[in-house]
Amino acid sequence: MIELRNVSKTYPNGTEAVKRVTVHIKPGEFVSLVGRSGTGKTTLVKMLVAEEKPTEGRIILGGWDITRIRTADIPMLRRQIGVVFQDFKLLPRKTVYENVAFALEVAGYGKKHIKDVVPQILALVGLEPKAKEFPDELSGGQQQRVSIARALAHRPKILIADEPTGNLDSINTREIVDLLLKINSFKTTVMLVTHNREVVNSLRKRVIAMEDGKIAYDEEKGRYVL
Amino acid sequence: MLFLSSRRILTFSWQHFWRNIWLSLVTITIIVLTLFSLTTLILVNAIADYAVNSVKDTVDVSLYFDNAISEEAIKTLKQELDKIEELKEVQYITPEEALEQFKETHKDDADIQSALAELDKNPLGGTLVLSAHAIEQYPAVMEKLKELKADSLAEKIDYNDHQKLIERINNFTAKLRTFVLALSLVFILVAILTVFNTIRMGIYIHRTEIGIMRLVGASNWFIRLPFVIEGLLYAVFGCLVFWLVLAIALHFTGDWVNSFLAGINFDIRAYLNKNVLNILGFEFIIVAVINMISAAFAMGKHLKV
Ligand SMILES: Nc1ncnc2c1ncn2[C@@H]1O[C@H](COP(=O)(O)OP(=O)(O)OP(=O)(O)O)[C@@H](O)[C@H]1O
Ligand SMILES: [Mg+2]
């Protein structure tokens, strides 16, 4: 599903953020990407959604080589990969429902389709009763669930979460991780980037650890040992 | 899907317009001032052309003959003159007609009237009045008159080309035109900068939204088009406001404005009524182009994916 071959990224200022990384993630897998701050995890995520282009190597997603993706094709790519971040990136003046619908509106979907799909996704993330509320009326965990719901609006095959629990307490963290597991159980490939040792160790799923832009280890049912 | 998208894009444009309402109003004001300047330029040109043309229409050459010269001789000359292709018309005025005209022009002058009454014989001879197709042709006509020895036959040749008057009109309007043109260019520049700034602000205000649109896979044109249309909205509102104000202003002050132009009989309302579509179309295109170019520049760097 996700294939990185010898991928390197050097930023224009000379920082070598990622160095010759080779990874293969199969469809339906749940992978945790861990590592200390500044080891290139976010850079890797950015290359997967074509926000940055690799300096070397190749990136193939579901058979699509996006290494030299054309600007015009980037929106198509982003509809096939859902991404969530630590800062939920919600629109404060839109309700929960509208925030999720927004992803479909900007892609040109009709009102009817939106009316069908959004409640389903809100039900999936357990936010149906909050549909009419605004983001600042919700807890951090609930806001992150809205953000996940929006990432799922296009029914992507891949969901990438870059430190989704960075701003949350342990109860909310647990809820978000459970939600990611639930999404994974529907065959969506999930990549969880995190610092949270407890979470990673409790998951008992594949762990890829990065150190200084390189892969330090990559283990099935791994643990966070760095 | 395209229809839906265009409706959503229009909604976005409208939101941009409203959320930034003060800057939008400033932008529209600048566009109205630009249109005022452009319209003044158009009017100055129209009035100058009109004035010069009405002067040019009165240009002619008159050949006055002594009353000793027979009508036959004058008519023979007229036949020759009719062959000159530069001439639009050669008009023969008989001595009797000339006298009538003379009496008519001086009918309020008692001295002349009494002097005329004492005459037992018409002192005036025949006259030929020549008018050319265009004012530039008169020098050629004068040449040909010499070739035909018309100048020796006629007692007096009167060529009033109003050159001085035309020059004065041209000099005055040329200066006015340059001034208004310079003013228009300044306004156009200010309009470009204002629209640029307004759209830049809009992009700044909506940066989070734009970031999210990109994140969820909105296409490039879906992100950019609202800003281009926002620019178009300024053009549309600018034109509407300006022409509304102009119509109202002329409704109340038109007679007063026309009184300045009474000397040349130019009716500003009639002129604008007749040409409103052309002028409005021309101005809308200019303003729309200004707005879209500024919008494109404002988006240039900031809206790349
Ligand atoms: N746009 C950029 N330009 C230049 N250098 C950058 C840029 N983005 C990141 N870097 C550098 O690249 C390196 C990797 O950064 P990255 O954000 O990928 O780390 P990270 O593993 O996500 O860290 P964290 O856990 O703190 O989020 C860092 O040294 C960072 O300073
Ligand atoms: Mg990071």
Side-chain angles (χ1 to χ4, degrees):
Chain A
M1 191 86 249
I2 302 175
E3 207 180 332
L4 298 158
R5 291 188 203 155
N6 259 316
V7 172
S8 301
K9 173 69 188 179
T10 308
Y11 282 108
N13 68 1
T15 310
E16 289 182 67
V18 172
K19 300 170 188 165
R20 288 179 304 285
V21 165
T22 298
V23 178
H24 188 113
I25 297 169
K26 290 185 285 296
E29 252 189 302
F30 190 114
V31 180
S32 303
L33 185 63
V34 302
R36 270 197 293 271
S37 189
T39 48
K41 305 183 295 294
T42 297
T43 303
L44 210 64
V45 171
K46 283 183 177 170
M47 287 191 286
L48 290 176
V49 295
E51 216 179 299
E52 294 288 351
K53 286 198 169 149
T55 330
E56 269 174 71
R58 288 176 65 183
I59 302 179
I60 298 152
L61 293 178
W64 182 8
D65 189 336
I66 61 153
T67 317
R68 304 262 171 272
I69 189 168
R70 293 196 346 250
T71 309
D73 293 333
I74 291 176
M76 275 328 282
L77 172 68
R78 303 224 172 125
R79 290 173 204 178
Q80 290 172 36
I81 309 181
V83 201
V84 302
F85 298 95
Q86 183 169 353
D87 59 335
F88 324 116
K89 294 190 198 296
L90 299 175
L91 289 164
R93 291 206 250 192
K94 286 187 187 288
T95 62
V96 167
Y97 182 96
E98 288 164 349
N99 263 286
V100 178
F102 188 70
L104 295 167
E105 280 170 6
V106 301
Y109 282 99
K111 273 222 164 65
K112 184 162 182 315
H113 177 82
I114 294 175
K115 262 195 192 131
D116 288 346
V117 170
V118 176
Q120 284 175 23
I121 300 172
L122 286 180
L124 175 72
V125 302
L127 277 183
E128 242 186 338
K130 303 274 180 193
K132 290 202 169 67
E133 288 183 30
F134 289 90
D136 62 5
E137 298 166 338
L138 303 177
S139 74
Q142 288 167 334
Q143 289 186 47
Q144 188 58 285
R145 280 191 271 158
V146 179
S147 160
I148 291 172
R150 184 182 59 197
L152 294 176
H154 291 294
R155 303 185 181 282
K157 298 214 177 60
I158 302 171
L159 179 68
I160 303 178
D162 191 351
E163 307 205 29
T165 59
N167 281 341
L168 305 178
D169 61 25
S170 56
I171 296 173
N172 277 312
T173 297
R174 195 64 243 174
E175 276 180 19
I176 294 298
V177 172
D178 286 344
L179 177 57
L180 292 176
L181 285 168
K182 183 170 157 192
I183 291 162
N184 177 243
S185 73
F186 302 133
K187 302 285 175 246
T188 304
T189 309
V190 175
M191 182 189 256
L192 169 65
V193 180
T194 185
H195 281 297
N196 195 311
R197 194 175 299 268
E198 261 176 77
V199 165
V200 175
N201 290 342
S202 70
L203 278 170
R204 312 213 52 70
K205 299 264 188 190
R206 181 173 170 189
V207 175
I208 300 171
M210 288 186 73
E211 172 103 76
D212 189 25
K214 287 180 241 169
I215 291 187
Y217 62 86
D218 179 352
E219 292 172 357
E220 296 296 330
K221 299 199 191 315
R223 291 178 63 80
Y224 193 166
V225 295
L226 283 172
Chain B
M1 164 160 163
L2 201 63
F3 172 72
L4 261 172
S5 297
S6 22
R7 256 190 45 196
R8 282 179 194 144
I9 287 170
L10 280 179
T11 314
F12 280 131
S13 321
W14 192 239
Q15 281 172 1
H16 290 181
F17 185 87
W18 272 108
R19 285 192 190 153
N20 218 351
I21 186 68
W22 286 109
L23 267 184
S24 299
L25 290 180
V26 169
T27 310
I28 290 172
T29 308
I30 297 290
I31 288 172
V32 168
L33 292 177
T34 310
L35 288 175
F36 179 74
S37 178
L38 277 175
T39 309
T40 310
L41 184 65
I42 291 170
L43 280 176
V44 166
N45 277 326
I47 294 171
D49 281 354
Y50 186 85
V52 168
N53 279 334
S54 49
V55 171
K56 279 179 182 170
D57 277 348
T58 66
V59 171
D60 54 25
V61 176
S62 300
L63 275 62
Y64 298 102
F65 298 92
D66 191 280
N67 57 6
I69 308 263
S70 72
E71 193 171 329
E72 287 311 303
I74 298 176
K75 286 211 165 139
T76 319
L77 178 63
K78 180 178 186 302
Q79 276 168 13
E80 290 299 311
L81 295 178
D82 279 335
K83 291 178 197 152
I84 300 179
E85 57 189 43
E86 282 92 348
L87 287 178
K88 187 171 69 186
E89 199 190 355
V90 180
Q91 198 192 350
Y92 174 58
I93 299 172
T94 62
E96 293 72 35
E97 285 166 347
L99 185 63
E100 276 311 304
Q101 265 182 24
F102 189 79
K103 279 184 181 163
E104 181 64 24
T105 353
H106 299 281
K107 67 173 186 284
D108 294 329
D109 192 326
D111 288 345
I112 291 182
Q113 291 298 332
S114 59
L116 282 173
E118 277 168 36
L119 290 170
D120 51 350
K121 200 173 140 241
N122 186 354
L124 299 175
T127 311
L128 285 177
V129 180
L130 320 183
S131 30
H133 295 283
I135 192 161
E136 297 76 26
Q137 292 168 327
Y138 282 99
V141 169
M142 298 305 277
E143 275 306 307
K144 295 205 172 149
L145 286 180
K146 254 184 215 152
E147 281 167 29
L148 289 169
K149 304 247 184 307
D151 49 340
S152 53
L153 191 63
E155 185 187 22
K156 184 176 156 228
I157 294 184
D158 193 357
Y159 171 35
N160 187 1
D161 60 357
H162 298 295
Q163 206 51 53
K164 285 262 155 55
L165 183 58
I166 291 175
E167 246 166 51
R168 277 216 327 262
I169 298 176
N170 278 341
N171 277 344
F172 175 70
T173 53
K175 276 180 199 144
L176 195 58
R177 218 180 291 214
T178 315
F179 173 73
V180 182
L181 182 68
L183 196 67
S184 301
L185 289 178
V186 170
F187 272 120
I188 287 177
L189 190 69
V190 173
I192 289 176
L193 293 176
T194 310
V195 175
F196 178 84
N197 180 56
T198 304
I199 300 217
R200 259 298 180 46
M201 275 306 276
I203 292 170
Y204 182 77
I205 291 172
H206 293 94
R207 64 195 184 286
T208 326
E209 201 167 353
I210 292 169
I212 292 171
M213 283 167 98
R214 274 193 205 133
L215 178 71
V216 298
S219 60
N220 225 0
W221 56 265
F222 197 97
I223 298 175
R224 284 168 164 261
L225 225 48
F227 292 101
V228 177
I229 293 175
E230 184 189 351
L232 265 181
L233 279 179
Y234 296 133
V236 170
F237 280 116
C239 285
L240 277 181
V241 170
F242 173 69
W243 279 85
L244 209 67
V245 170
L246 185 68
I248 293 171
L250 279 182
H251 181 77
F252 290 109
T253 66
D255 292 331
W256 181 73
V257 174
N258 281 340
S259 71
F260 285 99
L261 306 166
I264 54 167
N265 257 324
F266 188 87
D267 181 351
I268 209 162
R269 271 185 296 209
Y271 176 79
L272 287 177
N273 269 338
K274 194 170 144 223
N275 296 292
V276 60
L277 286 183
N278 287 337
I279 300 179
L280 187 58
F282 165 77
E283 290 180 342
F284 178 74
I285 289 172
I286 288 193
V287 176
V289 167
I290 288 176
N291 280 276
M292 301 214 300
I293 289 177
S294 314
F297 269 108
M299 290 187 302
K301 256 176 33 200
H302 290 258
L303 288 191
K304 289 231 173 75
V305 177

mmCIF file with all atom_site columns, all heavy atoms in Angstrom, chain A residues 51-69:
data_model
loop_
_atom_site.group_PDB
_atom_site.id
_atom_site.type_symbol
_atom_site.label_atom_id
_atom_site.label_alt_id
_atom_site.label_comp_id
_atom_site.label_asym_id
_atom_site.label_entity_id
_atom_site.label_seq_id
_atom_site.pdbx_PDB_ins_code
_atom_site.Cartn_x
_atom_site.Cartn_y
_atom_site.Cartn_z
_atom_site.occupancy
_atom_site.B_iso_or_equiv
_atom_site.pdbx_formal_charge
_atom_site.auth_seq_id
_atom_site.auth_comp_id
_atom_site.auth_asym_id
_atom_site.auth_atom_id
_atom_site.pdbx_PDB_model_num
ATOM 1   N N   . GLU A 1 51 ? 3.250  17.182 0.115   1.00 0.00 ? 51 GLU A N   1
ATOM 2   C CA  . GLU A 1 51 ? 3.488  18.551 0.546   1.00 0.00 ? 51 GLU A CA  1
ATOM 3   C C   . GLU A 1 51 ? 4.969  18.869 0.353   1.00 0.00 ? 51 GLU A C   1
ATOM 4   O O   . GLU A 1 51 ? 5.345  20.023 0.177   1.00 0.00 ? 51 GLU A O   1
ATOM 5   C CB  . GLU A 1 51 ? 3.103  18.683 2.014   1.00 0.00 ? 51 GLU A CB  1
ATOM 6   C CG  . GLU A 1 51 ? 2.490  20.017 2.359   1.00 0.00 ? 51 GLU A CG  1
ATOM 7   C CD  . GLU A 1 51 ? 2.104  20.089 3.822   1.00 0.00 ? 51 GLU A CD  1
ATOM 8   O OE1 . GLU A 1 51 ? 1.263  19.265 4.239   1.00 0.00 ? 51 GLU A OE1 1
ATOM 9   O OE2 . GLU A 1 51 ? 2.643  20.954 4.529   1.00 0.00 ? 51 GLU A OE2 1
ATOM 10  N N   . GLU A 1 52 ? 5.789  17.838 0.409   1.00 0.00 ? 52 GLU A N   1
ATOM 11  C CA  . GLU A 1 52 ? 7.208  17.954 0.085   1.00 0.00 ? 52 GLU A CA  1
ATOM 12  C C   . GLU A 1 52 ? 7.538  16.875 -0.926  1.00 0.00 ? 52 GLU A C   1
ATOM 13  O O   . GLU A 1 52 ? 6.899  15.829 -0.957  1.00 0.00 ? 52 GLU A O   1
ATOM 14  C CB  . GLU A 1 52 ? 8.070  17.741 1.341   1.00 0.00 ? 52 GLU A CB  1
ATOM 15  C CG  . GLU A 1 52 ? 7.922  18.810 2.409   1.00 0.00 ? 52 GLU A CG  1
ATOM 16  C CD  . GLU A 1 52 ? 8.568  20.139 2.040   1.00 0.00 ? 52 GLU A CD  1
ATOM 17  O OE1 . GLU A 1 52 ? 9.298  20.189 1.009   1.00 0.00 ? 52 GLU A OE1 1
ATOM 18  O OE2 . GLU A 1 52 ? 8.320  21.129 2.755   1.00 0.00 ? 52 GLU A OE2 1
ATOM 19  N N   . LYS A 1 53 ? 8.543  17.173 -1.777  1.00 0.00 ? 53 LYS A N   1
ATOM 20  C CA  . LYS A 1 53 ? 8.967  16.149 -2.727  1.00 0.00 ? 53 LYS A CA  1
ATOM 21  C C   . LYS A 1 53 ? 10.285 15.547 -2.270  1.00 0.00 ? 53 LYS A C   1
ATOM 22  O O   . LYS A 1 53 ? 11.150 16.267 -1.776  1.00 0.00 ? 53 LYS A O   1
ATOM 23  C CB  . LYS A 1 53 ? 9.113  16.776 -4.113  1.00 0.00 ? 53 LYS A CB  1
ATOM 24  C CG  . LYS A 1 53 ? 7.739  17.051 -4.696  1.00 0.00 ? 53 LYS A CG  1
ATOM 25  C CD  . LYS A 1 53 ? 7.742  17.252 -6.185  1.00 0.00 ? 53 LYS A CD  1
ATOM 26  C CE  . LYS A 1 53 ? 6.287  17.252 -6.654  1.00 0.00 ? 53 LYS A CE  1
ATOM 27  N NZ  . LYS A 1 53 ? 6.045  18.085 -7.811  1.00 0.00 ? 53 LYS A NZ  1
ATOM 28  N N   . PRO A 1 54 ? 10.443 14.220 -2.416  1.00 0.00 ? 54 PRO A N   1
ATOM 29  C CA  . PRO A 1 54 ? 11.712 13.615 -1.996  1.00 0.00 ? 54 PRO A CA  1
ATOM 30  C C   . PRO A 1 54 ? 12.861 14.103 -2.881  1.00 0.00 ? 54 PRO A C   1
ATOM 31  O O   . PRO A 1 54 ? 12.665 14.372 -4.064  1.00 0.00 ? 54 PRO A O   1
ATOM 32  C CB  . PRO A 1 54 ? 11.467 12.111 -2.194  1.00 0.00 ? 54 PRO A CB  1
ATOM 33  C CG  . PRO A 1 54 ? 10.327 12.017 -3.149  1.00 0.00 ? 54 PRO A CG  1
ATOM 34  C CD  . PRO A 1 54 ? 9.503  13.252 -2.952  1.00 0.00 ? 54 PRO A CD  1
ATOM 35  N N   . THR A 1 55 ? 14.042 14.234 -2.258  1.00 0.00 ? 55 THR A N   1
ATOM 36  C CA  . THR A 1 55 ? 15.213 14.631 -3.039  1.00 0.00 ? 55 THR A CA  1
ATOM 37  C C   . THR A 1 55 ? 15.716 13.438 -3.835  1.00 0.00 ? 55 THR A C   1
ATOM 38  O O   . THR A 1 55 ? 16.213 13.570 -4.940  1.00 0.00 ? 55 THR A O   1
ATOM 39  C CB  . THR A 1 55 ? 16.339 15.125 -2.095  1.00 0.00 ? 55 THR A CB  1
ATOM 40  O OG1 . THR A 1 55 ? 15.744 15.693 -0.935  1.00 0.00 ? 55 THR A OG1 1
ATOM 41  C CG2 . THR A 1 55 ? 17.187 16.164 -2.770  1.00 0.00 ? 55 THR A CG2 1
ATOM 42  N N   . GLU A 1 56 ? 15.590 12.248 -3.219  1.00 0.00 ? 56 GLU A N   1
ATOM 43  C CA  . GLU A 1 56 ? 16.006 11.021 -3.906  1.00 0.00 ? 56 GLU A CA  1
ATOM 44  C C   . GLU A 1 56 ? 15.040 9.893  -3.566  1.00 0.00 ? 56 GLU A C   1
ATOM 45  O O   . GLU A 1 56 ? 14.298 9.982  -2.596  1.00 0.00 ? 56 GLU A O   1
ATOM 46  C CB  . GLU A 1 56 ? 17.407 10.601 -3.421  1.00 0.00 ? 56 GLU A CB  1
ATOM 47  C CG  . GLU A 1 56 ? 18.540 11.165 -4.258  1.00 0.00 ? 56 GLU A CG  1
ATOM 48  C CD  . GLU A 1 56 ? 19.869 10.819 -3.608  1.00 0.00 ? 56 GLU A CD  1
ATOM 49  O OE1 . GLU A 1 56 ? 20.232 9.620  -3.646  1.00 0.00 ? 56 GLU A OE1 1
ATOM 50  O OE2 . GLU A 1 56 ? 20.513 11.727 -3.050  1.00 0.00 ? 56 GLU A OE2 1
ATOM 51  N N   . GLY A 1 57 ? 15.091 8.834  -4.335  1.00 0.00 ? 57 GLY A N   1
ATOM 52  C CA  . GLY A 1 57 ? 14.267 7.669  -4.059  1.00 0.00 ? 57 GLY A CA  1
ATOM 53  C C   . GLY A 1 57 ? 12.892 7.772  -4.687  1.00 0.00 ? 57 GLY A C   1
ATOM 54  O O   . GLY A 1 57 ? 12.607 8.726  -5.418  1.00 0.00 ? 57 GLY A O   1
ATOM 55  N N   . ARG A 1 58 ? 12.067 6.766  -4.401  1.00 0.00 ? 58 ARG A N   1
ATOM 56  C CA  . ARG A 1 58 ? 10.727 6.742  -4.990  1.00 0.00 ? 58 ARG A CA  1
ATOM 57  C C   . ARG A 1 58 ? 9.670  6.434  -3.956  1.00 0.00 ? 58 ARG A C   1
ATOM 58  O O   . ARG A 1 58 ? 9.904  5.691  -3.004  1.00 0.00 ? 58 ARG A O   1
ATOM 59  C CB  . ARG A 1 58 ? 10.680 5.709  -6.121  1.00 0.00 ? 58 ARG A CB  1
ATOM 60  C CG  . ARG A 1 58 ? 11.453 6.182  -7.347  1.00 0.00 ? 58 ARG A CG  1
ATOM 61  C CD  . ARG A 1 58 ? 11.473 5.114  -8.385  1.00 0.00 ? 58 ARG A CD  1
ATOM 62  N NE  . ARG A 1 58 ? 10.124 4.839  -8.883  1.00 0.00 ? 58 ARG A NE  1
ATOM 63  C CZ  . ARG A 1 58 ? 9.872  3.887  -9.762  1.00 0.00 ? 58 ARG A CZ  1
ATOM 64  N NH1 . ARG A 1 58 ? 10.856 3.119  -10.219 1.00 0.00 ? 58 ARG A NH1 1
ATOM 65  N NH2 . ARG A 1 58 ? 8.640  3.683  -10.185 1.00 0.00 ? 58 ARG A NH2 1
ATOM 66  N N   . ILE A 1 59 ? 8.486  7.007  -4.154  1.00 0.00 ? 59 ILE A N   1
ATOM 67  C CA  . ILE A 1 59 ? 7.353  6.752  -3.261  1.00 0.00 ? 59 ILE A CA  1
ATOM 68  C C   . ILE A 1 59 ? 6.196  6.232  -4.104  1.00 0.00 ? 59 ILE A C   1
ATOM 69  O O   . ILE A 1 59 ? 5.796  6.871  -5.083  1.00 0.00 ? 59 ILE A O   1
ATOM 70  C CB  . ILE A 1 59 ? 6.917  8.037  -2.534  1.00 0.00 ? 59 ILE A CB  1
ATOM 71  C CG1 . ILE A 1 59 ? 8.100  8.607  -1.743  1.00 0.00 ? 59 ILE A CG1 1
ATOM 72  C CG2 . ILE A 1 59 ? 5.727  7.762  -1.615  1.00 0.00 ? 59 ILE A CG2 1
ATOM 73  C CD1 . ILE A 1 59 ? 7.795  9.885  -1.006  1.00 0.00 ? 59 ILE A CD1 1
ATOM 74  N N   . ILE A 1 60 ? 5.687  5.067  -3.727  1.00 0.00 ? 60 ILE A N   1
ATOM 75  C CA  . ILE A 1 60 ? 4.578  4.480  -4.480  1.00 0.00 ? 60 ILE A CA  1
ATOM 76  C C   . ILE A 1 60 ? 3.430  4.179  -3.509  1.00 0.00 ? 60 ILE A C   1
ATOM 77  O O   . ILE A 1 60 ? 3.613  3.512  -2.493  1.00 0.00 ? 60 ILE A O   1
ATOM 78  C CB  . ILE A 1 60 ? 5.037  3.193  -5.202  1.00 0.00 ? 60 ILE A CB  1
ATOM 79  C CG1 . ILE A 1 60 ? 6.139  3.548  -6.211  1.00 0.00 ? 60 ILE A CG1 1
ATOM 80  C CG2 . ILE A 1 60 ? 3.865  2.525  -5.914  1.00 0.00 ? 60 ILE A CG2 1
ATOM 81  C CD1 . ILE A 1 60 ? 7.098  2.432  -6.488  1.00 0.00 ? 60 ILE A CD1 1
ATOM 82  N N   . LEU A 1 61 ? 2.266  4.723  -3.821  1.00 0.00 ? 61 LEU A N   1
ATOM 83  C CA  . LEU A 1 61 ? 1.092  4.511  -2.965  1.00 0.00 ? 61 LEU A CA  1
ATOM 84  C C   . LEU A 1 61 ? 0.038  3.743  -3.748  1.00 0.00 ? 61 LEU A C   1
ATOM 85  O O   . LEU A 1 61 ? -0.457 4.246  -4.752  1.00 0.00 ? 61 LEU A O   1
ATOM 86  C CB  . LEU A 1 61 ? 0.501  5.852  -2.527  1.00 0.00 ? 61 LEU A CB  1
ATOM 87  C CG  . LEU A 1 61 ? 1.346  6.708  -1.589  1.00 0.00 ? 61 LEU A CG  1
ATOM 88  C CD1 . LEU A 1 61 ? 0.639  8.011  -1.289  1.00 0.00 ? 61 LEU A CD1 1
ATOM 89  C CD2 . LEU A 1 61 ? 1.624  5.963  -0.295  1.00 0.00 ? 61 LEU A CD2 1
ATOM 90  N N   . GLY A 1 62 ? -0.300 2.549  -3.277  1.00 0.00 ? 62 GLY A N   1
ATOM 91  C CA  . GLY A 1 62 ? -1.316 1.744  -3.958  1.00 0.00 ? 62 GLY A CA  1
ATOM 92  C C   . GLY A 1 62 ? -1.031 1.629  -5.444  1.00 0.00 ? 62 GLY A C   1
ATOM 93  O O   . GLY A 1 62 ? -1.937 1.773  -6.261  1.00 0.00 ? 62 GLY A O   1
ATOM 94  N N   . GLY A 1 63 ? 0.237  1.442  -5.803  1.00 0.00 ? 63 GLY A N   1
ATOM 95  C CA  . GLY A 1 63 ? 0.607  1.274  -7.202  1.00 0.00 ? 63 GLY A CA  1
ATOM 96  C C   . GLY A 1 63 ? 0.805  2.586  -7.950  1.00 0.00 ? 63 GLY A C   1
ATOM 97  O O   . GLY A 1 63 ? 1.211  2.594  -9.108  1.00 0.00 ? 63 GLY A O   1
ATOM 98  N N   . TRP A 1 64 ? 0.546  3.703  -7.302  1.00 0.00 ? 64 TRP A N   1
ATOM 99  C CA  . TRP A 1 64 ? 0.671  5.016  -7.958  1.00 0.00 ? 64 TRP A CA  1
ATOM 100 C C   . TRP A 1 64 ? 2.007  5.646  -7.549  1.00 0.00 ? 64 TRP A C   1
ATOM 101 O O   . TRP A 1 64 ? 2.225  5.934  -6.377  1.00 0.00 ? 64 TRP A O   1
ATOM 102 C CB  . TRP A 1 64 ? -0.504 5.896  -7.506  1.00 0.00 ? 64 TRP A CB  1
ATOM 103 C CG  . TRP A 1 64 ? -0.549 7.264  -8.140  1.00 0.00 ? 64 TRP A CG  1
ATOM 104 C CD1 . TRP A 1 64 ? 0.221  7.738  -9.153  1.00 0.00 ? 64 TRP A CD1 1
ATOM 105 C CD2 . TRP A 1 64 ? -1.419 8.338  -7.777  1.00 0.00 ? 64 TRP A CD2 1
ATOM 106 N NE1 . TRP A 1 64 ? -0.119 9.033  -9.459  1.00 0.00 ? 64 TRP A NE1 1
ATOM 107 C CE2 . TRP A 1 64 ? -1.135 9.426  -8.626  1.00 0.00 ? 64 TRP A CE2 1
ATOM 108 C CE3 . TRP A 1 64 ? -2.426 8.496  -6.814  1.00 0.00 ? 64 TRP A CE3 1
ATOM 109 C CZ2 . TRP A 1 64 ? -1.804 10.649 -8.534  1.00 0.00 ? 64 TRP A CZ2 1
ATOM 110 C CZ3 . TRP A 1 64 ? -3.090 9.709  -6.744  1.00 0.00 ? 64 TRP A CZ3 1
ATOM 111 C CH2 . TRP A 1 64 ? -2.784 10.768 -7.602  1.00 0.00 ? 64 TRP A CH2 1
ATOM 112 N N   . ASP A 1 65 ? 2.883  5.842  -8.527  1.00 0.00 ? 65 ASP A N   1
ATOM 113 C CA  . ASP A 1 65 ? 4.181  6.457  -8.234  1.00 0.00 ? 65 ASP A CA  1
ATOM 114 C C   . ASP A 1 65 ? 3.994  7.978  -8.109  1.00 0.00 ? 65 ASP A C   1
ATOM 115 O O   . ASP A 1 65 ? 3.756  8.670  -9.092  1.00 0.00 ? 65 ASP A O   1
ATOM 116 C CB  . ASP A 1 65 ? 5.167  6.141  -9.372  1.00 0.00 ? 65 ASP A CB  1
ATOM 117 C CG  . ASP A 1 65 ? 6.580  6.569  -9.009  1.00 0.00 ? 65 ASP A CG  1
ATOM 118 O OD1 . ASP A 1 65 ? 6.726  7.478  -8.160  1.00 0.00 ? 65 ASP A OD1 1
ATOM 119 O OD2 . ASP A 1 65 ? 7.536  5.996  -9.565  1.00 0.00 ? 65 ASP A OD2 1
ATOM 120 N N   . ILE A 1 66 ? 4.084  8.461  -6.871  1.00 0.00 ? 66 ILE A N   1
ATOM 121 C CA  . ILE A 1 66 ? 3.832  9.893  -6.659  1.00 0.00 ? 66 ILE A CA  1
ATOM 122 C C   . ILE A 1 66 ? 5.131  10.686 -6.498  1.00 0.00 ? 66 ILE A C   1
ATOM 123 O O   . ILE A 1 66 ? 5.114  11.843 -6.098  1.00 0.00 ? 66 ILE A O   1
ATOM 124 C CB  . ILE A 1 66 ? 2.939  10.131 -5.415  1.00 0.00 ? 66 ILE A CB  1
ATOM 125 C CG1 . ILE A 1 66 ? 3.619  9.617  -4.155  1.00 0.00 ? 66 ILE A CG1 1
ATOM 126 C CG2 . ILE A 1 66 ? 1.578  9.499  -5.601  1.00 0.00 ? 66 ILE A CG2 1
ATOM 127 C CD1 . ILE A 1 66 ? 3.166  10.371 -2.913  1.00 0.00 ? 66 ILE A CD1 1
ATOM 128 N N   . THR A 1 67 ? 6.260  10.057 -6.839  1.00 0.00 ? 67 THR A N   1
ATOM 129 C CA  . THR A 1 67 ? 7.547  10.727 -6.636  1.00 0.00 ? 67 THR A CA  1
ATOM 130 C C   . THR A 1 67 ? 7.595  12.073 -7.348  1.00 0.00 ? 67 THR A C   1
ATOM 131 O O   . THR A 1 67 ? 8.025  13.068 -6.799  1.00 0.00 ? 67 THR A O   1
ATOM 132 C CB  . THR A 1 67 ? 8.695  9.836  -7.155  1.00 0.00 ? 67 THR A CB  1
ATOM 133 O OG1 . THR A 1 67 ? 8.442  8.507  -6.735  1.00 0.00 ? 67 THR A OG1 1
ATOM 134 C CG2 . THR A 1 67 ? 10.026 10.297 -6.613  1.00 0.00 ? 67 THR A CG2 1
ATOM 135 N N   . ARG A 1 68 ? 7.144  12.078 -8.607  1.00 0.00 ? 68 ARG A N   1
ATOM 136 C CA  . ARG A 1 68 ? 7.165  13.321 -9.384  1.00 0.00 ? 68 ARG A CA  1
ATOM 137 C C   . ARG A 1 68 ? 5.737  13.721 -9.744  1.00 0.00 ? 68 ARG A C   1
ATOM 138 O O   . ARG A 1 68 ? 5.434  14.041 -10.890 1.00 0.00 ? 68 ARG A O   1
ATOM 139 C CB  . ARG A 1 68 ? 7.982  13.140 -10.675 1.00 0.00 ? 68 ARG A CB  1
ATOM 140 C CG  . ARG A 1 68 ? 9.409  12.665 -10.458 1.00 0.00 ? 68 ARG A CG  1
ATOM 141 C CD  . ARG A 1 68 ? 10.396 13.808 -10.484 1.00 0.00 ? 68 ARG A CD  1
ATOM 142 N NE  . ARG A 1 68 ? 11.716 13.344 -10.066 1.00 0.00 ? 68 ARG A NE  1
ATOM 143 C CZ  . ARG A 1 68 ? 12.128 13.321 -8.786  1.00 0.00 ? 68 ARG A CZ  1
ATOM 144 N NH1 . ARG A 1 68 ? 11.313 13.717 -7.816  1.00 0.00 ? 68 ARG A NH1 1
ATOM 145 N NH2 . ARG A 1 68 ? 13.333 12.884 -8.473  1.00 0.00 ? 68 ARG A NH2 1
ATOM 146 N N   . ILE A 1 69 ? 4.860  13.685 -8.776  1.00 0.00 ? 69 ILE A N   1
ATOM 147 C CA  . ILE A 1 69 ? 3.437  13.941 -9.027  1.00 0.00 ? 69 ILE A CA  1
ATOM 148 C C   . ILE A 1 69 ? 3.216  15.350 -9.573  1.00 0.00 ? 69 ILE A C   1
ATOM 149 O O   . ILE A 1 69 ? 3.885  16.300 -9.166  1.00 0.00 ? 69 ILE A O   1
ATOM 150 C CB  . ILE A 1 69 ? 2.611  13.720 -7.736  1.00 0.00 ? 69 ILE A CB  1
ATOM 151 C CG1 . ILE A 1 69 ? 1.111  13.775 -8.019  1.00 0.00 ? 69 ILE A CG1 1
ATOM 152 C CG2 . ILE A 1 69 ? 2.986  14.734 -6.662  1.00 0.00 ? 69 ILE A CG2 1
ATOM 153 C CD1 . ILE A 1 69 ? 0.256  13.295 -6.860  1.00 0.00 ? 69 ILE A CD1 1
#
